[in-house]
Amino acid sequence: MSTIYIDKELCKGCAVCVSFCPLKLINMSDHDVNASGYAIAEMNSDSCTACAICAMMCPDSAITVVKEDKK
Amino acid sequence: MSVVYKKSKMLTNVPLNYCPGCTHGIVHKLVAETLEEINAEGNVIGIAPVGCAVFAYDFFNCDMQQVAHGRAPACATGIKRCNPDKIVFAYQGDGDIASIGTAEIVHAAARGENFTVVFINNAIYGMTGGQMAPTTLVGQKTTTSPFGRGKMQGNPIKLTEMLATLDGPSYLARVSVSDPANVRKAKKAIKKAFENQVNGKGFSMVEVLSTCPTNWHMTPVQALDFVKNEMTKVFPLGVYKDC
């Protein structure tokens, strides 16, 4: 399954990834904050296509994108 | 599973000290990825400016020199002339390059010095609290133009167009990082500017239209829309010189 990993401590909750995800799979957490007190972005879906647009737009390079290999 | 995208190894693990949503982070990433792609690791010297990006020496995984306000092109000239085999780049903001450092950038460009300049234009002085910059748009409110930039403050300086009238520069482009398509174009322009230096073609500068959500009093996404809809009208995107 393709997905993204968001480095919690690097995320500043700017929500740029939320706005640019073409499938709108990322949302801001309503319960989780990091050590700096920022509400962080999170991915709660298994439909990610690993297009990496979120990672490209993330100003803090907090997102790592992994893609499932074709069988 | 294969990794499609991860943080460039030319950036350190230090968390960026920029405000949430500041596009300095995106440009840092593009510069770092470009340096990685041209295999410049261990062979780069960067110049950090005065301004929000003053701590760039903590973020780039290469040798860095922090210089006096506006003097990055002068320092880069010295470093490049002493180390012609190194890749030298200056990273400057609009207050740094278009105000206090105008003389340095104009003369470095006129001499056609063989280094690369990344110019971040966010139309405001970010670090000092949102004062009017030479690139502030007409009508834009800042702490020193509270009624909007008007006749008293004059018109914005279009540095890239200004330098394009000189014979020295080899590549001058204006790009933006307002959306994924423009980020890709920005990456291409930055890569071209660095490749020009590797090929010894001379002075290259890429102006990146950038945001300052904090001092524009906007959310990061609104700020990106402002760049796309308002800033590009005054600062048209494109390649101004390529030879």
Side-chain angles (χ1 to χ4, degrees):
Chain A
M1 189 180 75
S2 302
T3 191
I4 60 169
Y5 296 103
I6 301 174
D7 187 325
K8 232 175 118 168
E9 295 309 320
L10 289 182
C11 179
K12 289 183 189 149
C14 68
V16 169
C17 55
V18 175
S19 135
F20 281 102
C21 175
L23 300 176
K24 303 287 173 213
L25 303 177
I26 309 173
N27 56 294
M28 298 308 291
S29 176
D30 54 6
H31 60 277
D32 207 1
V33 292
N34 65 14
S36 307
Y38 292 118
I40 56 169
E42 58 184 16
M43 157 80 96
N44 288 321
S45 168
D46 50 11
S47 326
C48 178
T49 60
C51 70
I53 284 177
C54 56
M56 194 167 72
M57 290 305 290
C58 175
D60 292 283
S61 305
I63 302 177
T64 305
V65 185
V66 292
K67 188 171 190 164
E68 191 178 17
D69 295 324
K70 280 181 188 162
K71 282 165 195 162
Chain B
M1 294 292 243
S2 54
V3 175
V4 182
Y5 200 108
K6 62 174 181 168
K7 192 171 181 175
S8 166
K9 62 181 177 184
M10 288 302 287
L11 288 174
T12 61
N13 286 327
V14 179
L16 302 180
N17 64 353
Y18 304 114
C19 305
C22 174
T23 46
H24 261 307
I26 300 181
V27 185
H28 274 33
K29 193 160 62 174
L30 298 182
V31 172
E33 285 170 4
T34 303
L35 292 173
E36 204 177 324
E37 283 167 21
I38 61 171
N39 294 319
E41 201 182 349
N43 198 31
V44 193
I45 303 172
I47 319 279
V50 170
C52 291
V54 66
F55 294 119
Y57 51 76
D58 278 341
F59 308 140
F60 283 109
N61 201 1
C62 64
D63 288 334
M64 295 289 288
Q65 170 70 49
Q66 202 280 314
V67 297
H69 205 356
R71 269 81 231 200
C75 188
T77 301
I79 292 176
K80 184 69 183 180
R81 286 188 180 189
C82 296
N83 304 280
D85 54 329
K86 301 277 185 207
I87 307 286
V88 178
F89 74 93
Y91 188 99
Q92 296 187 272
D94 51 347
D96 194 62
I97 202 169
S99 181
I100 194 165
T102 323
E104 279 76 10
I105 190 69
V106 169
H107 286 276
R111 293 192 303 268
E113 296 290 345
N114 190 23
F115 61 82
T116 305
V117 179
V118 180
F119 163 27
I120 309 298
N121 179 359
N122 62 3
I124 208 160
Y125 278 86
M127 185 183 71
T128 49
Q131 289 84 359
M132 195 194 84
T135 45
T136 297
L137 311 186
V138 171
Q140 193 177 348
K141 287 181 183 168
T142 66
T143 54
T144 47
S145 59
F147 306 108
R149 185 175 188 164
K151 271 189 176 165
M152 200 165 71
Q153 291 93 358
N155 294 301
I157 291 179
K158 297 174 183 173
L159 190 75
T160 304
E161 282 92 331
M162 209 166 100
L163 297 185
T165 61
L166 301 170
D167 295 330
S170 76
Y171 183 69
L172 297 168
R174 184 182 287 127
V175 295
S176 107
V177 286
S178 59
D179 53 72
N182 276 309
V183 170
R184 281 189 212 277
K185 285 182 195 162
K187 169 96 179 277
K188 223 172 153 183
I190 291 173
K191 195 166 180 184
K192 167 110 184 163
F194 276 97
E195 280 171 347
N196 270 1
Q197 185 184 158
V198 174
N199 298 331
K201 284 191 168 178
F203 186 87
S204 304
M205 187 180 87
V206 180
E207 173 178 348
V208 186
L209 298 186
S210 204
T211 67
C212 183
T214 303
N215 289 307
W216 291 358
H217 307 291
M218 294 178 189
T219 67
V221 176
Q222 284 169 344
L224 290 171
D225 287 339
F226 182 81
V227 170
K228 199 173 182 178
N229 302 328
E230 305 297 330
M231 269 183 89
T232 47
K233 283 183 196 159
V234 181
F235 298 107
L237 305 181
V239 177
Y240 285 86
K241 196 163 184 194
D242 188 5
C243 56

